[in-house]
Amino acid sequence: MKDVCVIGAGVAGLVAARYLQENFCVTIYEASASIGGIWLYNKHKAGVKHTPMYKNLRTNLPKQLMTFRDLSYENNVPTFLTHGQVMDYLENYSEKFSLSNLIQFNTPVISVKPVQSTDPVKWNVTTKNGSRLFDAVAVCSGRYDTPHIPQIEGLNSYTGKFEHSKEYSSPELYEGQHVLVVGAHASGTDLLIDLCEHGVKADISHRRPEPKLGLPPGAVQYPEPILFEGDYVYFKGDDKRYKFDVIIFATGYDTNLQYLDPECLIETDVIPRPLYKFAINPKYPTMAIFNQCCFVAPFPFCEYQALYFRGILLGHVKLDSFEELSSKAWELVKRKPDLHLKYQYSLHLDQFEYNKDLAEICGILLELENDMDALCDLYDRVGKDRSANPSTYRNKEYGFERESGGFNLIQDWNCV
């Protein structure tokens, strides 16, 4: 039986192991002491590497898009989940498929390198416990490990306090302070709302040409910061200087796949590339790098990637030549010529066509297509509501109605 290494025991790693263990001998290397990846809330623990999770976080996707195919949430669980409810789900999933038995905890991967003297190629995976050869590798260590703070003039010598949103734990820690959140995507908006709802004076800075709708009353919206001087900050198009007690950069994360040896032939700065179908190493298709796309629902997204990768390893999925795979993979890096490289893997609604594509290749599309269309409609509906009403969209419950074959609003607590 072939040996497969899975790196990481978060969402991607667990679902990859769940399917791969049916046909292969699977070993999971997890750097921390627990499953869950970013869903593990550990800010209250000292001496451990903290995840981005914070006390009051609730999902910005509905629970129907936060599940795998063969395990549902309890009926009494709300549409928008707490991080604890997601962790409970992942623990139940791990228990249902006996995944904990496959995991070596507190075992970060140091390097992954192809052994080209073997045919087919094997993978030398090195951890603190030594090296081991595998027939295939599923890289599932995620995209939210290394905080990205933009290079802004004067920031290196700024005498005020600043941090990344990964360090944010709870609004109580900012009581009596004036906070600026930099960045207005999902995490930045949610942090601003969390702070304001708990009585903290907080403002936000972003690049959007128009004010963002639905933010808490009293929260000032500034343009992007362009200069730090002493303990002051200057904003684009404004000669006035401003002072804040704390600045929180909600500005995303940098790719952290340095453990992939250059011989893997994957460039790891900004986004890993090239990746055929956003996942497969064109030169060595026995390596897959999971969940590298942004603006997707990661649970179903990773599940279809897992099924597809298993099909490749079993030989059920036939691949083109290296040259053809590589050409198609590099096309994905240039699919949005007007956007920065880091957004080339952004999918939004295209993720559902992607999921359908992988499901069709794996021979399971016919039984799932209607459900996928319903989930696509729900994703779109919630996304529009989130953009227009970021403070209140979570106060709604959605349920599946058999007659319509879709998800409909069943309770709006904003109207009570």
Side-chain angles (χ1 to χ4, degrees):
M1 183 178 288
K2 290 182 178 180
D3 291 313
V4 180
C5 174
V6 175
I7 302 174
V11 171
L14 292 176
V15 74
R18 174 260 182 272
Y19 286 105
L20 292 169
Q21 71 170 344
E22 293 183 354
N23 308 94
F24 308 104
C25 181
V26 173
T27 299
I28 306 174
Y29 292 134
E30 168 53 46
S32 75
S34 172
I35 69 166
I38 64 169
W39 292 102
L40 174 66
Y41 174 63
N42 63 0
K43 293 280 173 60
H44 56 294
K45 294 183 178 180
V48 298
K49 188 174 184 178
H50 292 157
T51 72
M53 208 50 50
Y54 57 90
K55 178 182 173 182
N56 298 324
L57 181 138
R58 291 174 64 197
T59 61
N60 59 13
L61 292 174
K63 65 181 180 182
Q64 294 86 350
L65 286 156
M66 298 289 294
T67 62
F68 300 125
R69 293 168 55 208
D70 38 22
L71 182 66
S72 299
Y73 287 92
E74 299 291 337
N75 290 333
N76 62 346
V77 173
T79 294
F80 294 95
L81 308 157
T82 67
H83 57 76
Q85 289 165 331
V86 179
M87 267 300 294
D88 288 344
Y89 177 88
L90 293 174
E91 288 170 350
N92 292 337
Y93 189 80
S94 176
E95 182 178 356
K96 179 176 180 178
F97 295 105
S98 302
L99 300 179
S100 292
N101 299 330
L102 309 176
I103 305 174
Q104 294 185 25
F105 291 106
N106 298 309
T107 308
V109 170
I110 299 170
S111 71
V112 177
K113 183 177 182 179
V115 181
Q116 300 183 44
S117 59
T118 62
D119 187 20
V121 68
K122 289 185 180 289
W123 297 94
N124 187 36
V125 179
T126 301
T127 71
K128 66 177 184 179
N129 299 323
S131 298
R132 181 178 164 188
L133 289 181
F134 290 91
D135 298 288
V137 176
V139 177
C140 302
S141 51
R143 299 186 292 114
Y144 303 105
D145 179 70
T146 304
H148 172 78
I149 294 182
Q151 296 181 352
I152 302 173
E153 184 179 352
L155 183 58
N156 289 338
S157 57
Y158 177 60
T159 58
K161 181 180 179 181
F162 71 93
E163 60 192 40
H164 189 270
S165 58
K166 186 180 181 183
E167 301 173 57
Y168 181 84
S169 178
S170 68
E172 291 81 7
L173 298 176
Y174 303 86
E175 185 177 347
Q177 301 183 71
H178 187 187
V179 179
L180 176 72
V181 178
V182 178
H185 282 302
S187 62
T189 301
D190 283 348
L191 291 194
L192 177 75
I193 293 169
D194 191 35
L195 289 164
C196 292
E197 286 184 346
H198 290 84
V200 178
K201 179 175 174 54
D203 300 323
I204 194 166
S205 163
H206 57 76
R207 295 177 176 176
R208 297 168 184 255
E210 301 293 333
K212 186 174 175 69
L213 300 175
L215 296 183
V220 178
Q221 300 187 49
Y222 294 97
E224 64 182 294
I226 59 170
L227 174 65
F228 290 87
E229 191 174 73
D231 58 353
Y232 290 94
V233 57
Y234 292 83
F235 297 103
K236 186 175 183 179
D238 187 349
D239 293 333
K240 185 179 177 181
R241 63 182 188 175
Y242 298 83
K243 181 185 287 189
F244 300 90
D245 295 303
V246 185
I247 297 177
I248 302 175
F249 284 93
T251 45
Y253 293 81
D254 291 327
T255 299
N256 185 15
L257 295 171
Q258 288 91 342
Y259 58 79
L260 297 185
D261 188 273
E263 291 187 21
C264 295
L265 301 183
I266 296 292
E267 298 179 25
T268 58
D269 63 306
V270 188
I271 57 173
R273 60 200 188 278
L275 292 177
Y276 177 66
K277 291 193 180 295
F278 299 113
I280 305 301
N281 184 329
K283 179 63 175 178
Y284 305 114
T286 52
M287 169 183 278
I289 304 179
F290 282 62
N291 197 27
Q292 292 302 309
C293 294
C294 55
F295 305 113
V296 299
F299 281 70
F301 187 78
C302 292
E303 184 160 30
Y304 292 113
Q305 288 187 329
L307 288 162
Y308 180 65
F309 186 48
R310 183 181 67 171
I312 291 174
L313 298 184
L314 288 171
H316 298 166
V317 174
K318 304 303 180 184
L319 297 174
D320 294 329
S321 67
F322 159 65
E323 290 76 17
E324 291 172 303
L325 294 182
S326 181
S327 175
K328 292 177 180 178
W330 281 113
E331 286 177 7
L332 297 178
V333 178
K334 300 176 285 188
R335 55 194 287 271
K336 296 177 182 282
D338 296 333
L339 296 180
H340 188 276
L341 178 59
K342 69 178 180 178
Y343 295 119
Q344 295 305 311
Y345 289 175
S346 61
L347 291 185
H348 298 283
L349 293 180
D350 290 343
Q351 68 182 289
F352 295 96
E353 290 304 314
Y354 173 85
N355 292 348
K356 283 184 180 181
D357 177 40
L358 298 191
E360 184 173 26
I361 293 171
C362 295
I364 58 173
L365 177 61
L366 189 60
E367 61 185 280
L368 298 173
E369 188 165 14
N370 290 339
D371 290 345
M372 287 181 168
D373 289 339
L375 289 171
C376 179
D377 290 341
L378 179 62
Y379 181 92
D380 187 36
R381 181 175 183 176
V382 169
K384 291 175 179 176
D385 194 14
R386 181 171 59 244
S387 296
N389 306 292
S391 297
T392 59
Y393 76 95
R394 291 183 177 93
N395 298 332
K396 297 178 181 180
E397 301 292 335
Y398 294 88
F400 185 79
E401 292 190 357
R402 295 189 180 279
E403 291 184 5
S404 65
F407 295 95
N408 292 321
L409 180 66
I410 58 175
Q411 179 69 62
D412 186 350
W413 297 107
N414 297 303
C415 299
V416 175

